[in-house]
Amino acid sequence: SLETQNNLAVVLTALGKYEEALICINNIVKNKPQCANSLCNKALILSRSGNDDEAIETLKLALEVNPKHEVSLLNIGMIFQRRRLLDNAIACYEILLKYYPKNERATALLLHAKRMSCEWNDFKTVEESVDKIVKKSIADGTKPVETCFENTLRTQEQRYNLEIAMAIVFTVF
């Protein structure tokens, strides 16, 4: 079944067997070419195997199928950010947040893309949102949306940085 093929692709990807995972996911995409989730999963495998250009094209196909596909918008933004295509990353995160304003990871990634590109428009507002999210996760005992490294790049508040580090280390996954 296609569900079995998808599960196998997930396991093979986790094991780093990308060629085999692509065979499974390509079979799913062939049978369900208008499924944004399948296209997004294919893009993830492509990206993890080092094929970011093909992953971007596949995510664009997923977004043609469903322009509001949350995971595709997040993943294409992260690939753009990793490749230092920061204007593209910012645009993806802003579109995602227009549709899904509570997406905490996109909010944090937007903040860091803006910082990396020296794009200060609304920076303080986004930073305040991230601080609120991080402080809530620390209080709740959940994993913060920012890493210690990301946080220390934007603030010199040692106590705050330590709280994030401790929350990450002692979070039950």
Side-chain angles (χ1 to χ4, degrees), residues 81-117:
Q81 189 164 348
R82 185 173 63 238
R83 297 180 86 190
R84 301 292 190 252
L85 300 168
L86 300 172
D87 290 340
N88 293 357
I90 290 168
C92 287
Y93 301 142
E94 287 177 340
I95 291 168
L96 189 157
L97 289 166
K98 183 175 87 175
Y99 298 129
Y100 307 98
K102 294 183 180 180
N103 188 307
E104 295 177 351
R105 187 67 185 141
T107 304
L109 289 167
L110 174 62
L111 176 70
H112 295 289
K114 284 179 171 269
R115 182 190 47 77
M116 290 167 63
S117 69

Side-chain angles (χ1 to χ4, degrees), residues 63 66-75 96 100 102-103:
L63 291 168
N66 179 358
K68 296 180 181 180
H69 193 257
E70 186 174 13
V71 178
S72 293
L73 286 164
L74 184 66
N75 287 346
L96 189 157
Y100 307 98
K102 294 183 180 180
N103 188 307

Side-chain angles (χ1 to χ4, degrees), residues 107-146:
T107 304
L109 289 167
L110 174 62
L111 176 70
H112 295 289
K114 284 179 171 269
R115 182 190 47 77
M116 290 167 63
S117 69
C118 298
E119 215 277 40
W120 306 117
N121 185 30
D122 294 330
F123 183 84
K124 267 296 188 207
T125 304
V126 177
E127 185 175 44
E128 288 167 2
S129 295
V130 171
D131 281 335
K132 186 176 174 182
I133 292 165
V134 169
K135 287 175 181 173
K136 182 180 182 322
S137 65
I138 290 169
D140 294 346
T142 58
K143 185 178 176 186
V145 71
E146 271 189 316

Side-chain angles (χ1 to χ4, degrees), residues 11-115:
V11 170
L12 291 168
T13 301
L15 294 172
K17 297 183 177 188
Y18 304 120
E19 287 181 31
E20 294 172 52
L22 276 173
I23 291 168
C24 293
I25 205 73
N26 281 335
N27 184 47
I28 296 168
V29 170
K30 186 175 96 179
N31 286 292
K32 294 177 80 175
Q34 295 300 308
C35 178
N37 286 338
S38 298
L39 290 164
C40 185
N41 290 343
K42 179 179 178 177
L44 175 68
I45 297 166
L46 290 166
S47 180
R48 287 200 179 159
S49 66
N51 296 311
D52 278 347
D53 289 335
E54 198 174 342
I56 289 169
E57 292 308 312
T58 304
L59 288 166
K60 286 179 180 178
L61 289 174
L63 291 168
E64 284 177 21
V65 171
N66 179 358
K68 296 180 181 180
H69 193 257
E70 186 174 13
V71 178
S72 293
L73 286 164
L74 184 66
N75 287 346
I76 198 168
M78 289 190 308
I79 293 171
F80 285 144
Q81 189 164 348
R82 185 173 63 238
R83 297 180 86 190
R84 301 292 190 252
L85 300 168
L86 300 172
D87 290 340
N88 293 357
I90 290 168
C92 287
Y93 301 142
E94 287 177 340
I95 291 168
L96 189 157
L97 289 166
K98 183 175 87 175
Y99 298 129
Y100 307 98
K102 294 183 180 180
N103 188 307
E104 295 177 351
R105 187 67 185 141
T107 304
L109 289 167
L110 174 62
L111 176 70
H112 295 289
K114 284 179 171 269
R115 182 190 47 77

